[in-house]
Amino acid sequence: MSVSPQSDLPSVADVAGDVAGVVERFTHGATHAFAFGDGGVPEAVLASYDQYDDLGGEDKLGKYRVVVAPEVLGRQLPEMVEAIRRGTFGPPVLVGTDVEPVLVVMSTPQYRTLRGDDEPPPGVIDDPTVRTYDSAPTPGSTPFSVEEWAKDDPFTQQILEEIRQERGTTDG
């Protein structure tokens, strides 16, 4: 899949033309959620069904009435993005086989809602799939070890011990 010349975002046509490749990359865990759109503007997001499910997507956003086959998505994706632009796009569309969705198509505001992010200020073009957050420690915070974190919880201590045994390590 190439990217549009004015942006490093894939265009709608780029994604629609390589749906089989995108599904393959999601199936093998070789890609993460990404935004795409025309004119360098992130208009829609493709995310894995696993991420959608883990973040409670169906409870937060619902789902399209059927799982759409990849070849159908390739044909209908331009219409979906047009609906996003008009503000008439419905719930996220699941893509895959009848028994197993692989990925989800949604608008960028839906993806922000899924993740619990705020909307950007008016006029700011924001790709929610590449947002960064200030992760500097707050004043007065102090580091702590995993052992300190788990010290009062026997279950967590047991899990940590099992992880160490699997990795063949004994130290923290």
Side-chain angles (χ1 to χ4, degrees):
M1 174 179 6
S2 62
V3 293
S4 61
Q6 62 270 46
S7 167
D8 53 345
L9 282 177
S11 71
V12 176
D14 292 334
V15 175
D18 189 29
V19 169
V22 171
V23 169
E24 181 74 15
R25 288 189 294 278
F26 272 106
T27 301
H28 295 294
T31 193
H32 298 286
F34 67 91
F36 63 97
D38 292 333
V41 176
E43 298 174 289
V45 172
L46 284 176
S48 73
Y49 178 76
D50 288 342
Q51 180 185 24
Y52 182 73
D53 189 45
D54 289 347
L55 294 174
E58 288 188 22
D59 293 334
K60 291 179 184 176
L61 304 171
K63 69 174 182 171
Y64 193 66
R65 63 188 176 277
V66 296
V67 177
V68 174
E71 56 275 6
V72 173
L73 176 65
R75 291 190 308 270
Q76 293 182 352
L77 190 61
E79 295 168 26
M80 290 178 190
V81 175
E82 279 299 321
I84 289 170
R85 292 173 185 149
R86 288 189 309 268
T88 59
F89 186 70
V93 176
L94 307 182
V95 180
T97 65
D98 285 336
V99 295
E100 189 172 333
V102 174
L103 57 92
V104 182
V105 180
M106 65 189 92
S107 68
T108 53
Q110 286 173 324
Y111 188 69
R112 287 185 193 98
T113 298
L114 180 68
R115 288 183 21 154
D117 292 345
D118 293 332
E119 286 292 320
V124 173
I125 295 176
D126 174 61
D127 180 347
T129 64
V130 295
R131 277 193 171 180
T132 57
Y133 301 90
D134 182 10
S135 60
T138 57
S141 64
T142 58
F144 60 92
S145 68
V146 174
E147 285 75 21
E148 187 177 351
W149 172 67
K151 72 180 178 186
D152 296 324
D153 184 4
F155 177 74
T156 304
Q157 290 173 358
Q158 177 187 348
I159 297 297
L160 287 173
E161 185 58 35
E162 290 172 8
I163 291 169
R164 287 187 184 114
Q165 288 175 1
E166 286 176 11
R167 292 182 177 171
T169 61
T170 56
D171 60 334

